[in-house]
């Protein structure tokens, strides 16, 4: 049992992710854990596509037959509009305004919180000021820099004039977003939840007081990642193979073909190696690109790209693996991230090999449950081969992972930190009014 720091605190939470929520840091953290601390969330956002399996933000609620939405018992859910609409980026602030009104009618909020949105963040800030309640921003991703990266991709393309118009649209959105987020929203927010300690340090360099920020890294659901409760995959393609695992989406922007260069090096040393890539791509074009790259390198017998998988199947493949891989490209977008996959490997007792973005470097240094190397094929291959060839080292790493995750990165642990932050945020206004 968790002591309630509040009688009951109600927050309106405007989110960028599709509703009902799929990501664990929404569905588990706010749907299951925060109510135990007396914090209830009125979710506001748009509906979207549901995969019900393994996605980029960790494992999600669903079933093999398709997505089945669980009732949101942690407050209310106000879905206005659809992310499938071609006009979603234009209309979402208006939809969020209507959702905010519905949430206010459902439960008088003690706080308004916005996650990874720009125009709706300004809307939430104004509404909070009118209601005389705190405004909080949740940054799980550097959204402004994401818009700028998309702008730059269009600038590098050559083609018809309509591409120039699209570039101009992305350029205007990136410029406006930078002004709104860094000059208006973050300086005015009573508190900012960030994805990692690296993100906190980065924003502190932009003038945001560190005392107004709380890092909330990605975690795992302890019950879901209980290795003893997982049925190993019976896929006959795994028989007699040394299985190395990558859990997550594949995409050109993530340099997923790096995994194939690594597979070539591993095959040279251990012919029976099999790299299992358990995940989907954000589009059919990206999946075709990856499958074509596998065929072009002659890796059909040494790389198994599963595509979309339900939770049980993906976890079944995971527990057959001897090593888990987490290569994350360095740069402004990912250096401040908190990748889920490494923590998932450790929770399952799988030794990890990860590159040196700050969060992964810290996790492996603190846990001793894997090896941290630069994102270079040779370095990854050397570390992976060490774990495959040195059973004692692999066993030590596997043994250290689960207790470290249970102590530091399960959502019940992370919820305590979030609850303490809400205590500080809401205390001046009297939560639970």
């Amino acid at each position: 049992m968790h002591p309630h720091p509040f009688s009951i605190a109600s927050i309106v939470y405007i989110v960028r992710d599709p509703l009902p929520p799929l990501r664990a840091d929404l569905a588990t953290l706010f749907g299951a854990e925060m109510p135990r601390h007396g914090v209830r969330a009125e979710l506001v956002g748009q509906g979207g596509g549901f995969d019900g399996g393994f996605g980029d933000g960790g494992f999600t609620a669903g079933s093999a037959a398709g997505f089945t939405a669980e009732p949101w018992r942690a407050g209310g859910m106000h879905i206005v509009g659809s992310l499938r609409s071609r006009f979603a980026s234009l209309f979402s602030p208006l939809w969020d305004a209507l959702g905010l009104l519905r949430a206010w009618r459902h439960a008088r909020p003690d706080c308004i919180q916005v996650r990874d949105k720009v125009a709706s963040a300004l809307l939430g800030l104004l509404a909070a000021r009118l209601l005389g309640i705190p405004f909080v921003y949740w940054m799980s991703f550097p959204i402004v820099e994401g818009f700028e990266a998309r702008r730059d991709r269009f600038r590098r393309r050559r083609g018809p004039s309509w591409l120039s118009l699209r570039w101009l649209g992305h350029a205007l959105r990136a410029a406006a977003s930078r002004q709104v987020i860094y000059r208006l929203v973050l300086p005015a927010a009573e508190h900012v939840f960030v994805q990692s300690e690296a993100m906190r340090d980065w924003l502190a360099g932009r003038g945001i007081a560190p005392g107004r920020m709380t890092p909330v890294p990605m975690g795992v659901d302890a019950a879901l990642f209980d290795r003893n409760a997982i049925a190993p995959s019976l896929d006959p393609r795994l028989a007699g193979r040394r299985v190395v695992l990558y859990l997550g989406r594949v995409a050109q922007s993530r340099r997923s073909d790096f995994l194939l260069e690594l597979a070539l090096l591993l095959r040279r040393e251990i012919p029976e190696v099999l790299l299992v890539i358990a995940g989907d791509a954000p589009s059919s074009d990206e999946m075709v690109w990856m499958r074509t790259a596998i065929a072009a390198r002659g890796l059909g017998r040494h790389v198994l790209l599963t595509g979309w998988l339900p939770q049980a199947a993906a976890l079944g493949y995971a527990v057959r693996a001897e090593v888990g891989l987490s290569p994350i490209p360095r740069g402004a977008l990912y250096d401040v991230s908190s990748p889920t996959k490494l923590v998932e490997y450790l929770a399952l007792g799988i030794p990890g090999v990860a590159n040196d973005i700050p969060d992964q470097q810290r996790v492996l240094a603190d846990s001793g449950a894997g090896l941290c190397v630069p994102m270079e094929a040779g370095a990854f291959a050397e570390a992976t081969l060490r774990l495959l060839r040195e059973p004692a080292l692999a066993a030590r790493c596997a043994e250290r992972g689960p207790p470290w995750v249970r102590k530091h990165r399960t959502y019940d642990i992370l919820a305590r930190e979030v609850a303490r932050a809400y205590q500080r945020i809401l205390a001046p206004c009297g939560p639970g009014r």
Side-chain angles (χ1 to χ4, degrees):
M1 295 294 292
H2 299 275
H4 284 196
F6 315 115
S7 52
I8 287 292
S10 177
I11 66 171
V12 171
Y13 195 179
I14 301 174
V15 300
R16 187 177 186 85
D17 304 274
L19 296 180
L22 299 175
R23 288 175 57 102
D25 54 346
L26 277 175
T28 303
L29 181 57
F30 281 90
E33 297 297 338
M34 294 313 301
R36 297 174 183 172
H37 296 272
V39 178
R40 298 175 66 81
E42 299 283 327
L43 294 184
V44 173
Q46 285 70 61
F50 310 126
D51 61 15
F54 184 80
D56 194 43
F59 283 95
T60 59
S63 68
F67 179 79
T68 304
E70 294 291 330
W72 184 254
R73 299 186 178 90
M77 189 183 304
H78 310 276
I79 302 175
V80 184
S82 172
L83 294 176
R84 297 189 186 97
S85 169
R86 61 185 299 185
F87 303 110
S89 60
L90 179 64
F91 289 144
S92 62
L94 301 176
W95 292 335
D96 288 339
L98 180 56
L100 179 59
L101 179 61
R102 291 179 180 176
W104 177 77
R105 288 176 175 172
H106 186 255
R108 174 70 162 86
D110 297 298
C111 168
I112 294 177
Q113 180 169 292
V114 179
R115 173 188 173 109
D116 295 335
K117 285 195 167 186
V118 179
S120 295
L122 197 56
L123 165 73
L125 174 60
L126 294 174
R129 293 296 179 262
L130 287 172
L131 294 172
I133 58 177
F135 170 78
V136 175
Y137 193 76
W138 191 293
M139 182 180 284
S140 72
F141 183 76
I143 189 69
V144 173
E145 287 68 22
F147 288 153
E148 290 173 343
R150 190 171 301 176
R151 172 203 64 195
D152 294 342
R153 284 198 296 272
F154 274 94
R155 182 162 52 191
R156 289 191 292 267
R157 294 183 187 179
R158 294 185 179 182
S161 58
W162 62 266
L163 276 178
S164 298
L165 292 176
R166 290 194 68 179
W167 172 84
L168 180 61
H170 285 292
L172 291 173
R173 179 171 67 170
S177 298
R178 177 165 289 277
Q179 296 299 312
V180 169
I181 292 297
Y182 292 126
R183 294 202 170 199
L184 298 174
V185 171
L186 295 185
E190 274 74 18
H191 204 77
V192 181
F193 288 100
V194 295
Q195 189 72 72
S196 65
E197 293 185 5
M199 183 179 281
R200 180 190 59 192
D201 295 343
W202 171 64
L203 288 178
R206 292 185 169 275
I208 308 302
R212 289 199 294 117
M213 293 186 281
T214 298
V216 185
M218 295 299 291
V220 299
D221 182 329
L224 180 61
F225 283 82
D226 178 2
R227 187 183 180 105
N228 294 325
I230 297 169
S233 173
L234 300 178
D235 189 331
R237 292 172 293 184
L238 306 184
R241 309 300 292 270
R242 305 294 301 275
V243 178
V244 176
L245 175 73
Y246 175 85
L247 278 176
R249 284 189 171 186
V250 297
Q252 295 181 60
S253 64
R254 294 176 177 271
R255 293 179 52 197
S256 296
D257 52 349
F258 171 87
L259 294 167
L260 307 184
E261 301 307 313
L262 171 59
L264 287 170
L265 295 176
L266 295 177
R267 181 181 67 177
R268 185 183 305 165
E269 298 294 326
I270 302 179
E272 65 271 24
V273 75
L274 176 66
L275 170 61
V276 174
I277 303 176
D280 206 348
S283 68
S284 58
D285 289 345
E286 295 268 30
M287 185 60 84
V288 169
W289 165 76
M290 193 64 175
R291 293 196 185 281
T292 301
I294 293 169
R297 291 167 173 82
L299 286 169
R301 292 190 62 256
H302 293 85
V303 176
L304 171 58
L305 177 59
T306 67
W308 178 89
L309 289 173
Q311 290 177 359
L315 289 172
Y317 278 105
V319 296
R320 293 288 302 271
E322 297 182 60
V323 180
L325 306 174
S326 186
I328 307 294
R330 297 298 305 265
L333 291 182
Y334 296 116
D335 276 3
V336 296
S337 68
S338 174
T340 315
K341 59 178 67 64
L342 177 60
V343 180
E344 291 171 339
Y345 300 150
L346 269 54
L348 293 171
I350 304 169
V353 175
N355 68 306
D356 52 349
I357 68 166
D359 188 67
Q360 294 194 142
Q361 196 169 30
R362 181 184 181 91
V363 166
L364 290 178
D366 290 352
S367 68
L371 302 176
C372 185
V373 296
M375 189 171 166
E376 300 168 359
F380 257 75
E382 182 179 349
T384 304
L385 289 169
R386 275 195 67 193
L387 291 168
L388 292 175
R389 289 169 168 168
E390 300 180 28
L393 172 62
R396 287 196 300 272
C397 291
E399 184 179 359
R400 292 167 180 164
W404 185 88
V405 172
R406 287 194 296 269
K407 186 175 180 180
H408 298 281
R409 287 291 183 93
T410 57
Y411 277 112
D412 61 329
I413 296 295
L414 296 173
R416 297 175 196 174
E417 294 299 317
V418 176
R420 280 193 281 267
Y422 283 132
Q423 280 186 286
R424 299 191 299 272
I425 298 162
L426 302 181
C429 298
R433 291 170 294 182

